[in-house]
Amino acid sequence: MKHYSNLESLENFEATVDLALELKKNPFVFEELGKRKTIALVFFNNSLRTRLSTEKAARNLGMDVMVLNVSDSWNLEFGDGTVMNLDTAEHIKEATQVIAQYADIIAVRAFAGLKDKVADATEKVLNAFIKYAGVPIVNMESALSHPLQGLTDAVTIKETVTKKRPKVVLSWAPHPRALPHAVANSFVKSMKLCDVEFVITNPVGYDLDPKITKGITINHNQQEALKDADVVYVKNWSSFDDYGQVTNTDSHWMMTKEKLGHAIFMHCLPVRRNVVVEDAVLDSDQSVVIQQARNRTYAAQAVLKTLLENIT
Ligand code: CP
């Protein structure tokens, strides 16, 4: 694996899930691997879990860690041939190559703008780092995908659910803001790689990209979809058809204890209580969101270990 840009980057998804679970048991067993190696974590957007878990993962492997919030740096230009006499002070071509002088691996977070579907699909920021940096790049959530989260989610289901071929439901929930599709996209891809019965439920007008959901049952009736669920993964996303718009805030889609039944509850966090999911769910033993956040470290560690082995 040269870069971790998507779940498809992994040569063996199942083996990586197992590696993450092994690393959870013995986090420091490879602490020599990253000695005198540095990772730069570059953030174009906010983060709590991704920032801290990726840093912890790198430190568990013996790496040094640098963090750059792009908002504290120079305004970056991405256009080719631009006369840079306006607001941008540094071109992405120089910026990426300079960061790569200081880091053996670069991890990048750059969300979708949600204004232009075609522009977001180009993954401009992530692909610029891959094109110019010349070192391995890790996707810490891009316009279309959040593969560290998707890997974590498979790890969490594997360690939590003992039933063979459990029923997993991805349920849309209301949210006042327009949120990207990246987490949902990567969860769908992750579940396609697991031995589960997988169903997506969302309102009409909120179907995800059909290229990603191809072959998956989408049920617009939440109650029907949730029947006999073992795992319920709740997430909001903005409309894909009416790109980036919030056309539905129907609170009937909020996850409740009654709807959850006996299933375990998952969410990538952060989550808006009593908008996306009621308190009674998050405060119950059925919620595994804290365990899920903890597993971010070991999923990231499995990815970084694999990349480090290729550069040493
Ligand atoms: N789930 C997740 O990626 O959390 P952060 O946005 O806080 O990093």
PDB file of all heavy atoms in Angstrom, residues 43 45-53 109 111 140-141 146 148-149 183 233 235 267-270 292-293 296, ligand 1:
ATOM      1  N   PHE A  43      -4.646  19.701   8.821  1.00  0.00           N
ATOM      2  CA  PHE A  43      -6.103  19.861   8.959  1.00  0.00           C
ATOM      3  C   PHE A  43      -6.595  21.111   8.226  1.00  0.00           C
ATOM      4  O   PHE A  43      -6.220  22.222   8.572  1.00  0.00           O
ATOM      5  CB  PHE A  43      -6.491  19.961  10.432  1.00  0.00           C
ATOM      6  CG  PHE A  43      -6.366  18.638  11.149  1.00  0.00           C
ATOM      7  CD1 PHE A  43      -5.180  18.291  11.786  1.00  0.00           C
ATOM      8  CD2 PHE A  43      -7.408  17.734  11.136  1.00  0.00           C
ATOM      9  CE1 PHE A  43      -5.056  17.061  12.419  1.00  0.00           C
ATOM     10  CE2 PHE A  43      -7.292  16.497  11.760  1.00  0.00           C
ATOM     11  CZ  PHE A  43      -6.113  16.158  12.406  1.00  0.00           C
ATOM     12  N   ASN A  45      -9.923  21.216   8.237  1.00  0.00           N
ATOM     13  CA  ASN A  45     -11.213  21.276   8.943  1.00  0.00           C
ATOM     14  C   ASN A  45     -11.028  20.824  10.388  1.00  0.00           C
ATOM     15  O   ASN A  45     -10.028  20.214  10.723  1.00  0.00           O
ATOM     16  CB  ASN A  45     -12.253  20.363   8.276  1.00  0.00           C
ATOM     17  CG  ASN A  45     -12.459  20.686   6.817  1.00  0.00           C
ATOM     18  OD1 ASN A  45     -11.878  20.038   5.959  1.00  0.00           O
ATOM     19  ND2 ASN A  45     -13.260  21.683   6.535  1.00  0.00           N
ATOM     20  N   ASN A  46     -12.051  21.080  11.184  1.00  0.00           N
ATOM     21  CA  ASN A  46     -12.030  20.738  12.619  1.00  0.00           C
ATOM     22  C   ASN A  46     -11.942  19.232  12.849  1.00  0.00           C
ATOM     23  O   ASN A  46     -12.355  18.448  11.991  1.00  0.00           O
ATOM     24  CB  ASN A  46     -13.322  21.210  13.296  1.00  0.00           C
ATOM     25  CG  ASN A  46     -13.468  22.703  13.277  1.00  0.00           C
ATOM     26  OD1 ASN A  46     -12.536  23.411  12.914  1.00  0.00           O
ATOM     27  ND2 ASN A  46     -14.630  23.180  13.656  1.00  0.00           N
ATOM     28  N   SER A  47     -11.488  18.866  14.037  1.00  0.00           N
ATOM     29  CA  SER A  47     -11.447  17.453  14.415  1.00  0.00           C
ATOM     30  C   SER A  47     -11.181  17.334  15.903  1.00  0.00           C
ATOM     31  O   SER A  47     -10.446  18.143  16.473  1.00  0.00           O
ATOM     32  CB  SER A  47     -10.343  16.735  13.646  1.00  0.00           C
ATOM     33  OG  SER A  47     -10.172  15.432  14.155  1.00  0.00           O
ATOM     34  N   LEU A  48     -11.745  16.335  16.508  1.00  0.00           N
ATOM     35  CA  LEU A  48     -11.373  15.933  17.873  1.00  0.00           C
ATOM     36  C   LEU A  48     -10.768  14.527  17.805  1.00  0.00           C
ATOM     37  O   LEU A  48      -9.589  14.308  18.035  1.00  0.00           O
ATOM     38  CB  LEU A  48     -12.600  15.960  18.800  1.00  0.00           C
ATOM     39  CG  LEU A  48     -12.334  15.743  20.295  1.00  0.00           C
ATOM     40  CD1 LEU A  48     -13.488  16.297  21.137  1.00  0.00           C
ATOM     41  CD2 LEU A  48     -12.119  14.295  20.672  1.00  0.00           C
ATOM     42  N   ARG A  49     -11.615  13.536  17.427  1.00  0.00           N
ATOM     43  CA  ARG A  49     -11.195  12.128  17.435  1.00  0.00           C
ATOM     44  C   ARG A  49     -10.059  11.846  16.460  1.00  0.00           C
ATOM     45  O   ARG A  49      -9.072  11.177  16.807  1.00  0.00           O
ATOM     46  CB  ARG A  49     -12.376  11.206  17.080  1.00  0.00           C
ATOM     47  CG  ARG A  49     -13.291  10.916  18.240  1.00  0.00           C
ATOM     48  CD  ARG A  49     -14.726  10.875  17.757  1.00  0.00           C
ATOM     49  NE  ARG A  49     -15.136  12.203  17.367  1.00  0.00           N
ATOM     50  CZ  ARG A  49     -15.644  13.107  18.227  1.00  0.00           C
ATOM     51  NH1 ARG A  49     -15.865  12.785  19.452  1.00  0.00           N
ATOM     52  NH2 ARG A  49     -15.961  14.335  17.823  1.00  0.00           N
ATOM     53  N   THR A  50     -10.202  12.320  15.227  1.00  0.00           N
ATOM     54  CA  THR A  50      -9.218  11.963  14.199  1.00  0.00           C
ATOM     55  C   THR A  50      -7.849  12.520  14.574  1.00  0.00           C
ATOM     56  O   THR A  50      -6.819  11.855  14.432  1.00  0.00           O
ATOM     57  CB  THR A  50      -9.687  12.495  12.836  1.00  0.00           C
ATOM     58  OG1 THR A  50     -10.994  11.972  12.593  1.00  0.00           O
ATOM     59  CG2 THR A  50      -8.749  12.080  11.727  1.00  0.00           C
ATOM     60  N   ARG A  51      -7.848  13.749  15.063  1.00  0.00           N
ATOM     61  CA  ARG A  51      -6.595  14.405  15.450  1.00  0.00           C
ATOM     62  C   ARG A  51      -5.901  13.617  16.567  1.00  0.00           C
ATOM     63  O   ARG A  51      -4.736  13.248  16.469  1.00  0.00           O
ATOM     64  CB  ARG A  51      -6.903  15.822  15.927  1.00  0.00           C
ATOM     65  CG  ARG A  51      -5.710  16.594  16.434  1.00  0.00           C
ATOM     66  CD  ARG A  51      -6.144  17.979  16.840  1.00  0.00           C
ATOM     67  NE  ARG A  51      -6.834  18.621  15.717  1.00  0.00           N
ATOM     68  CZ  ARG A  51      -6.503  19.798  15.213  1.00  0.00           C
ATOM     69  NH1 ARG A  51      -5.496  20.463  15.706  1.00  0.00           N
ATOM     70  NH2 ARG A  51      -7.172  20.316  14.219  1.00  0.00           N
ATOM     71  N   LEU A  52      -6.645  13.343  17.633  1.00  0.00           N
ATOM     72  CA  LEU A  52      -6.012  12.727  18.803  1.00  0.00           C
ATOM     73  C   LEU A  52      -5.720  11.249  18.595  1.00  0.00           C
ATOM     74  O   LEU A  52      -4.678  10.743  19.022  1.00  0.00           O
ATOM     75  CB  LEU A  52      -6.888  12.946  20.044  1.00  0.00           C
ATOM     76  CG  LEU A  52      -7.067  14.420  20.454  1.00  0.00           C
ATOM     77  CD1 LEU A  52      -7.915  14.522  21.709  1.00  0.00           C
ATOM     78  CD2 LEU A  52      -5.722  15.110  20.673  1.00  0.00           C
ATOM     79  N   SER A  53      -6.630  10.540  17.932  1.00  0.00           N
ATOM     80  CA  SER A  53      -6.414   9.085  17.761  1.00  0.00           C
ATOM     81  C   SER A  53      -5.287   8.818  16.764  1.00  0.00           C
ATOM     82  O   SER A  53      -4.507   7.873  16.951  1.00  0.00           O
ATOM     83  CB  SER A  53      -7.698   8.387  17.313  1.00  0.00           C
ATOM     84  OG  SER A  53      -8.112   8.842  16.044  1.00  0.00           O
ATOM     85  N   ARG A 109      -6.816  16.103   6.283  1.00  0.00           N
ATOM     86  CA  ARG A 109      -8.277  16.200   6.392  1.00  0.00           C
ATOM     87  C   ARG A 109      -8.751  17.403   5.590  1.00  0.00           C
ATOM     88  O   ARG A 109      -8.339  18.539   5.848  1.00  0.00           O
ATOM     89  CB  ARG A 109      -8.713  16.348   7.851  1.00  0.00           C
ATOM     90  CG  ARG A 109     -10.152  16.769   7.988  1.00  0.00           C
ATOM     91  CD  ARG A 109     -10.720  16.627   9.371  1.00  0.00           C
ATOM     92  NE  ARG A 109     -11.124  15.252   9.622  1.00  0.00           N
ATOM     93  CZ  ARG A 109     -12.028  14.887  10.545  1.00  0.00           C
ATOM     94  NH1 ARG A 109     -12.624  15.788  11.290  1.00  0.00           N
ATOM     95  NH2 ARG A 109     -12.330  13.613  10.721  1.00  0.00           N
ATOM     96  N   PHE A 111     -12.612  18.409   3.979  1.00  0.00           N
ATOM     97  CA  PHE A 111     -14.003  18.015   3.729  1.00  0.00           C
ATOM     98  C   PHE A 111     -14.494  18.474   2.357  1.00  0.00           C
ATOM     99  O   PHE A 111     -13.909  19.365   1.730  1.00  0.00           O
ATOM    100  CB  PHE A 111     -14.935  18.670   4.759  1.00  0.00           C
ATOM    101  CG  PHE A 111     -14.800  18.153   6.164  1.00  0.00           C
ATOM    102  CD1 PHE A 111     -15.455  18.818   7.198  1.00  0.00           C
ATOM    103  CD2 PHE A 111     -14.062  17.029   6.474  1.00  0.00           C
ATOM    104  CE1 PHE A 111     -15.375  18.371   8.505  1.00  0.00           C
ATOM    105  CE2 PHE A 111     -13.967  16.566   7.792  1.00  0.00           C
ATOM    106  CZ  PHE A 111     -14.628  17.252   8.810  1.00  0.00           C
ATOM    107  N   MET A 140      -7.583  11.520   6.251  1.00  0.00           N
ATOM    108  CA  MET A 140      -8.225  11.657   7.578  1.00  0.00           C
ATOM    109  C   MET A 140      -9.654  12.201   7.444  1.00  0.00           C
ATOM    110  O   MET A 140     -10.208  12.721   8.400  1.00  0.00           O
ATOM    111  CB  MET A 140      -7.407  12.587   8.478  1.00  0.00           C
ATOM    112  CG  MET A 140      -6.032  12.075   8.837  1.00  0.00           C
ATOM    113  SD  MET A 140      -5.304  12.966  10.231  1.00  0.00           S
ATOM    114  CE  MET A 140      -5.075  14.599   9.517  1.00  0.00           C
ATOM    115  N   GLU A 141     -10.233  12.078   6.339  1.00  0.00           N
ATOM    116  CA  GLU A 141     -11.575  12.437   5.842  1.00  0.00           C
ATOM    117  C   GLU A 141     -11.422  13.455   4.729  1.00  0.00           C
ATOM    118  O   GLU A 141     -10.981  14.577   4.924  1.00  0.00           O
ATOM    119  CB  GLU A 141     -12.558  12.968   6.896  1.00  0.00           C
ATOM    120  CG  GLU A 141     -13.962  13.136   6.254  1.00  0.00           C
ATOM    121  CD  GLU A 141     -15.098  13.468   7.214  1.00  0.00           C
ATOM    122  OE1 GLU A 141     -14.991  13.229   8.433  1.00  0.00           O
ATOM    123  OE2 GLU A 141     -16.125  13.974   6.708  1.00  0.00           O
ATOM    124  N   HIS A 146     -14.145   8.639   4.409  1.00  0.00           N
ATOM    125  CA  HIS A 146     -13.483   8.705   5.723  1.00  0.00           C
ATOM    126  C   HIS A 146     -13.045   7.277   6.052  1.00  0.00           C
ATOM    127  O   HIS A 146     -13.630   6.598   6.909  1.00  0.00           O
ATOM    128  CB  HIS A 146     -14.464   9.244   6.758  1.00  0.00           C
ATOM    129  CG  HIS A 146     -13.845   9.670   8.054  1.00  0.00           C
ATOM    130  ND1 HIS A 146     -12.495   9.480   8.347  1.00  0.00           N
ATOM    131  CD2 HIS A 146     -14.384  10.280   9.148  1.00  0.00           C
ATOM    132  CE1 HIS A 146     -12.251   9.965   9.558  1.00  0.00           C
ATOM    133  NE2 HIS A 146     -13.365  10.442  10.055  1.00  0.00           N
ATOM    134  N   LEU A 148     -10.520   5.900   7.626  1.00  0.00           N
ATOM    135  CA  LEU A 148     -10.099   5.519   8.985  1.00  0.00           C
ATOM    136  C   LEU A 148     -11.335   5.212   9.839  1.00  0.00           C
ATOM    137  O   LEU A 148     -11.327   4.290  10.654  1.00  0.00           O
ATOM    138  CB  LEU A 148      -9.269   6.633   9.627  1.00  0.00           C
ATOM    139  CG  LEU A 148      -7.860   6.839   9.057  1.00  0.00           C
ATOM    140  CD1 LEU A 148      -7.217   8.095   9.654  1.00  0.00           C
ATOM    141  CD2 LEU A 148      -6.970   5.626   9.311  1.00  0.00           C
ATOM    142  N   GLN A 149     -12.415   5.974   9.610  1.00  0.00           N
ATOM    143  CA  GLN A 149     -13.654   5.710  10.345  1.00  0.00           C
ATOM    144  C   GLN A 149     -14.289   4.398   9.865  1.00  0.00           C
ATOM    145  O   GLN A 149     -14.724   3.574  10.674  1.00  0.00           O
ATOM    146  CB  GLN A 149     -14.630   6.889  10.148  1.00  0.00           C
ATOM    147  CG  GLN A 149     -15.902   6.765  10.952  1.00  0.00           C
ATOM    148  CD  GLN A 149     -15.651   6.910  12.450  1.00  0.00           C
ATOM    149  OE1 GLN A 149     -15.095   7.897  12.890  1.00  0.00           O
ATOM    150  NE2 GLN A 149     -16.059   5.917  13.228  1.00  0.00           N
ATOM    151  N   VAL A 183     -18.592   9.928   5.736  1.00  0.00           N
ATOM    152  CA  VAL A 183     -18.693   8.859   6.750  1.00  0.00           C
ATOM    153  C   VAL A 183     -19.652   7.777   6.266  1.00  0.00           C
ATOM    154  O   VAL A 183     -19.340   6.573   6.336  1.00  0.00           O
ATOM    155  CB  VAL A 183     -19.150   9.431   8.116  1.00  0.00           C
ATOM    156  CG1 VAL A 183     -19.514   8.314   9.071  1.00  0.00           C
ATOM    157  CG2 VAL A 183     -18.048  10.303   8.717  1.00  0.00           C
ATOM    158  N   TYR A 233     -26.454   1.872  12.915  1.00  0.00           N
ATOM    159  CA  TYR A 233     -25.440   2.930  12.758  1.00  0.00           C
ATOM    160  C   TYR A 233     -26.195   4.166  12.278  1.00  0.00           C
ATOM    161  O   TYR A 233     -26.819   4.161  11.215  1.00  0.00           O
ATOM    162  CB  TYR A 233     -24.415   2.493  11.703  1.00  0.00           C
ATOM    163  CG  TYR A 233     -23.148   3.317  11.677  1.00  0.00           C
ATOM    164  CD1 TYR A 233     -21.960   2.788  12.161  1.00  0.00           C
ATOM    165  CD2 TYR A 233     -23.122   4.610  11.171  1.00  0.00           C
ATOM    166  CE1 TYR A 233     -20.780   3.523  12.136  1.00  0.00           C
ATOM    167  CE2 TYR A 233     -21.952   5.359  11.150  1.00  0.00           C
ATOM    168  CZ  TYR A 233     -20.781   4.801  11.623  1.00  0.00           C
ATOM    169  OH  TYR A 233     -19.608   5.532  11.600  1.00  0.00           O
ATOM    170  N   LYS A 235     -26.449   8.160  11.196  1.00  0.00           N
ATOM    171  CA  LYS A 235     -25.626   9.244  10.632  1.00  0.00           C
ATOM    172  C   LYS A 235     -26.520  10.165   9.820  1.00  0.00           C
ATOM    173  O   LYS A 235     -27.383   9.698   9.098  1.00  0.00           O
ATOM    174  CB  LYS A 235     -24.525   8.647   9.722  1.00  0.00           C
ATOM    175  CG  LYS A 235     -23.561   9.669   9.155  1.00  0.00           C
ATOM    176  CD  LYS A 235     -22.605  10.207  10.205  1.00  0.00           C
ATOM    177  CE  LYS A 235     -21.727  11.341   9.679  1.00  0.00           C
ATOM    178  NZ  LYS A 235     -22.402  12.662   9.759  1.00  0.00           N
ATOM    179  N   HIS A 267     -22.308   5.401  16.263  1.00  0.00           N
ATOM    180  CA  HIS A 267     -22.253   6.725  15.607  1.00  0.00           C
ATOM    181  C   HIS A 267     -20.787   7.155  15.627  1.00  0.00           C
ATOM    182  O   HIS A 267     -20.084   6.932  16.619  1.00  0.00           O
ATOM    183  CB  HIS A 267     -23.127   7.741  16.347  1.00  0.00           C
ATOM    184  CG  HIS A 267     -23.289   9.033  15.602  1.00  0.00           C
ATOM    185  ND1 HIS A 267     -22.281   9.964  15.521  1.00  0.00           N
ATOM    186  CD2 HIS A 267     -24.327   9.523  14.887  1.00  0.00           C
ATOM    187  CE1 HIS A 267     -22.700  10.985  14.790  1.00  0.00           C
ATOM    188  NE2 HIS A 267     -23.934  10.744  14.389  1.00  0.00           N
ATOM    189  N   CYS A 268     -20.335   7.808  14.570  1.00  0.00           N
ATOM    190  CA  CYS A 268     -18.912   8.171  14.487  1.00  0.00           C
ATOM    191  C   CYS A 268     -18.536   9.292  15.457  1.00  0.00           C
ATOM    192  O   CYS A 268     -17.366   9.467  15.771  1.00  0.00           O
ATOM    193  CB  CYS A 268     -18.571   8.582  13.061  1.00  0.00           C
ATOM    194  SG  CYS A 268     -19.453  10.061  12.536  1.00  0.00           S
ATOM    195  N   LEU A 269     -19.529  10.076  15.924  1.00  0.00           N
ATOM    196  CA  LEU A 269     -19.335  11.279  16.745  1.00  0.00           C
ATOM    197  C   LEU A 269     -18.571  12.358  15.940  1.00  0.00           C
ATOM    198  O   LEU A 269     -17.792  11.990  15.080  1.00  0.00           O
ATOM    199  CB  LEU A 269     -18.593  10.967  18.052  1.00  0.00           C
ATOM    200  CG  LEU A 269     -19.240   9.909  18.966  1.00  0.00           C
ATOM    201  CD1 LEU A 269     -18.384   9.736  20.245  1.00  0.00           C
ATOM    202  CD2 LEU A 269     -20.671  10.279  19.347  1.00  0.00           C
ATOM    203  N   PRO A 270     -18.797  13.638  16.196  1.00  0.00           N
ATOM    204  CA  PRO A 270     -19.660  14.181  17.238  1.00  0.00           C
ATOM    205  C   PRO A 270     -21.138  14.008  16.881  1.00  0.00           C
ATOM    206  O   PRO A 270     -21.484  13.952  15.697  1.00  0.00           O
ATOM    207  CB  PRO A 270     -19.280  15.663  17.263  1.00  0.00           C
ATOM    208  CG  PRO A 270     -18.852  15.977  15.863  1.00  0.00           C
ATOM    209  CD  PRO A 270     -18.171  14.719  15.378  1.00  0.00           C
ATOM    210  N   GLN A 292     -16.142   2.784  20.099  1.00  0.00           N
ATOM    211  CA  GLN A 292     -15.914   3.053  18.668  1.00  0.00           C
ATOM    212  C   GLN A 292     -14.840   4.148  18.509  1.00  0.00           C
ATOM    213  O   GLN A 292     -13.913   4.006  17.714  1.00  0.00           O
ATOM    214  CB  GLN A 292     -17.251   3.508  18.087  1.00  0.00           C
ATOM    215  CG  GLN A 292     -17.425   3.444  16.602  1.00  0.00           C
ATOM    216  CD  GLN A 292     -18.839   3.928  16.216  1.00  0.00           C
ATOM    217  OE1 GLN A 292     -19.759   3.972  17.024  1.00  0.00           O
ATOM    218  NE2 GLN A 292     -18.987   4.290  14.953  1.00  0.00           N
ATOM    219  N   ALA A 293     -14.972   5.211  19.307  1.00  0.00           N
ATOM    220  CA  ALA A 293     -13.968   6.291  19.249  1.00  0.00           C
ATOM    221  C   ALA A 293     -12.598   5.778  19.699  1.00  0.00           C
ATOM    222  O   ALA A 293     -11.559   6.138  19.124  1.00  0.00           O
ATOM    223  CB  ALA A 293     -14.415   7.463  20.116  1.00  0.00           C
ATOM    224  N   ARG A 296     -10.609   4.047  17.025  1.00  0.00           N
ATOM    225  CA  ARG A 296      -9.986   4.866  15.988  1.00  0.00           C
ATOM    226  C   ARG A 296      -8.464   4.766  16.081  1.00  0.00           C
ATOM    227  O   ARG A 296      -7.756   4.767  15.077  1.00  0.00           O
ATOM    228  CB  ARG A 296     -10.439   6.329  16.131  1.00  0.00           C
ATOM    229  CG  ARG A 296     -11.898   6.590  15.740  1.00  0.00           C
ATOM    230  CD  ARG A 296     -12.113   6.419  14.244  1.00  0.00           C
ATOM    231  NE  ARG A 296     -11.165   7.197  13.495  1.00  0.00           N
ATOM    232  CZ  ARG A 296     -11.363   8.475  13.130  1.00  0.00           C
ATOM    233  NH1 ARG A 296     -12.481   9.077  13.420  1.00  0.00           N
ATOM    234  NH2 ARG A 296     -10.442   9.124  12.436  1.00  0.00           N
TER     235      ARG A 296
HETATM  236  N1   CP B   1     -15.495  10.789  13.792  1.00  0.00           N
HETATM  237  C1   CP B   1     -14.585  11.752  13.556  1.00  0.00           C
HETATM  238  O1   CP B   1     -13.934  11.763  12.500  1.00  0.00           O
HETATM  239  O2   CP B   1     -14.461  12.664  14.553  1.00  0.00           O
HETATM  240  P1   CP B   1     -13.707  14.061  14.428  1.00  0.00           P
HETATM  241  O3   CP B   1     -14.428  14.841  13.328  1.00  0.00           O
HETATM  242  O4   CP B   1     -13.835  14.712  15.770  1.00  0.00           O
HETATM  243  O5   CP B   1     -12.299  13.811  14.032  1.00  0.00           O
END
